[in-house]
Amino acid sequence: MVTRTQRRSILAVGAGGLALSLALAGCTAGGSESEDGSVSLSYLVDNGEATVATAQALADAFMSENPDITVEVETRPQGADGDNLIKTRLATGEMNDLFSYNSGSLMQALNPDETLVDLSDEEWVASLNDNFVRAVSTDSGLYGVPMGQSMAGAVIYNKDVYAELGLEIPTTWDDFIANSEAIKAAGAAAPIVQTYDDTWTSQLFVLGDFNNVTAASPDWAEQYTNNEVSYSEEPAFAGFEHLQEVFDKSLMNEDFASATYADGVTMVATGEGAQYPILTFAAQQLMTTNPEAADVVGTFPLPGPDAATNGLTVWMPNGVYIPNSVEGDKLEAAKQFAAFLATPESCEIQAESNAPQGPFVIEGCDLPDDVPAMISDMQPYFDEGKTNLALEFLSPIKGPALEQITVAVGSGITTAAEGAAQYDEDVVKQAQQLGLEGW
Amino acid sequence: MTTATAPGRTSSPPGSPGRPTEAKRKRRPMKSPYPTWFFIPAGAFYVVLFLIPTVASFYFSLTRWTLFDVEFIGIDNFVRFFQEPQLVQGFVNTFIYAFLTSGTKVVLGLVLGVFLSSQIIGRGFLRSVVFFPVLVSVIGVGILFEVLLDPFDGPVNGVLAAVGIEGPGWLTDPSLALFSVAMVDVWSGVGLATLIYIAGMVAIPQEYFEASKVDGASAWNTFRHVTLPLLRPATVTVVLLSLIGGLRRFDLIWTMTGGGPGFSSDVLASVVYKQYQAGFFGLSTAGNVVLFVVVAAIIFPLSWWLNRKEDDR
């Protein structure tokens, strides 16, 4: 066994090597503190155009209210590169004063109890939605303030196609298939759009089905974390079965293997495709490429076996976190900025600078009236409480190869049973990495 | 410190065409004309930039490493790595890919090399055309061919459709994807093989060809008994270089298919990369060690065998 100090120095060498390579790549971290009592904060966000615009608008509004605090927006790459950059900076204590990052299982992977500032004593915590609180908390603290809106993993559909064929929103899987067969028979539109060039989009049949899993077995997520249930068994297996069924009945667009996410959204907007299981952040894509279709594209939940429990699977927004390397005046200023983010004023700025993707999770924040139909269609489910969190906010385990596995099942390369078994094998690595009991 | 200059096997690139027997012969009691401290700057660079990372990666392959925490877990990572469901396919794909691209490059490179070293019109131009793809970034080549080979909007299938053939999904058909990428690899890499063969051709003294002409050998006989044997050093170089390249290939495969569809074009390097992406740093380092060992286990014996044959003659 290696002693603690040895481990430290080994870590430092390893992390230092990574930090060096990042530094060579031209990244620098940190802000500066001047002598006249003014504080400068650096705020790290991903380099998505929409994200940067929103972050800058928020920083500007905050600075005009707090003239002695400057907030500088810095960007990082998206995806796995960004994840690793954040982990490296946190591990070396070089993190910016504030950073925006996923909530749920990805936040848990940051080791928050040791790397982030606990915000559970802040006043604004009381105004947060319970689901969000769960998504940014561990047993010993709450670490994030919401940035953006919640969203759903659901089916977006073309209302014109539905109206023309006289179809109704399906509440069971059988209805959904019946609708799809009818659309196929009519011949004008691809019944179900799939876009496997962007592999992540293939996971929605499995991940978006989680509301139905919870409906059938309320403690499923906890049992899953304890290695007591698996994707090879019902109810969770249904997601893989659906994927295979859609392929077997050839209900997909002809070019499913080479189409991209952007293609998919456009297909639904133009009526070339009828239904597309996807996250509702697709509203942003829709408003960028096909704003004329804002009222044409609607949303309904991914249906399961039981119409009575039909509801939305919900994803929580990103959180903004403060690393525990921030101290003194800077920490006070960073907490001030976090408090500002939790106000209705901040929600308004966010909704103005970017098409919303779903309801806010802060009390007192409402969506503007002119949101796309895709988003307003979600509201009734929220109002009636017909929503459930996605698995990644209830369990820290998510296998990295799910998207390749769902592509393989959805393209008929492997069967649903093989795919589910592969995924069960895949999550073992993640669970072991996290050091969970019973794996 | 003089003894430290002995070749560090672990860090020299696998398959570098060294001659171990010769090195041993020369090394005996050679007295260096330089004082020992003269080697310190270079030695320090070598230790910091090569030796420490190599040793560190062997250490980290035995740990569960999340960047926040390191836990020593023995050979669990290797056990885990070999349980990867995709690994068998990854291995098979790696070998198919490496041997296919290497073999094709040898044959095509030889043909083009002989052709482009003969007296033909526009030789310089044709040579540069063949060599051009080598100069283009691999990522660029990958993206270009991803567009060209698109099953619905791509020009390749467009041309095929014009002559009445329905083109396949080059990169989306699981049984074809790996071969499509291999063909693009050959296209982009054959220029280098050709260059090596041209250099080999130029190095053959003209007397041999004149002699065979005097003896009345046909063009085929000249090629078979003069050109081919004398091009052997070039062939050995092309085989080793392209085989190492093929076994480690990652960039082209990743840009064109991402290992997909599903896992059908995954190779060892892409399996390792995906584990790194997922944050399994210890596990992926173990995968890298495996890749290193596999490449070394193939290239060292092969290199020794090919070069020994040459010495024997």
Side-chain angles (χ1 to χ4, degrees), chain B residues 167-185:
Chain B
W170 297 102
L171 299 173
T172 53
D173 181 336
S175 57
L176 263 184
L178 188 71
F179 296 101
S180 304
V181 180
M183 288 308 110
V184 175
D185 190 330

Side-chain angles (χ1 to χ4, degrees), chain B residues 245-280:
Chain B
L247 288 169
R248 307 168 46 244
R249 198 56 156 181
F250 165 71
D251 37 13
L252 191 66
I253 296 172
W254 194 253
T255 30
M256 290 185 70
T257 65
F263 302 96
S264 53
S265 60
D266 255 335
V267 292
L268 266 183
S270 66
V271 171
V272 169
Y273 183 70
K274 281 195 263 191
Q275 288 168 346
Y276 158 77
Q277 264 192 328
F280 306 149

Side-chain angles (χ1 to χ4, degrees), chain B residues 37-81:
Chain B
W37 57 262
F38 212 82
F39 297 103
I40 288 175
F45 269 110
Y46 174 74
V47 168
V48 170
L49 294 179
F50 297 100
L51 215 52
I52 291 179
T54 307
V55 174
S57 73
F58 278 98
Y59 168 75
F60 281 120
S61 71
L62 299 174
T63 64
R64 184 172 293 143
W65 183 28
T66 60
L67 287 185
F68 299 111
D69 223 346
V70 174
E71 185 191 347
F72 190 82
I73 53 167
I75 60 161
D76 280 10
N77 278 330
F78 291 93
V79 174
R80 186 82 248 156
F81 188 80

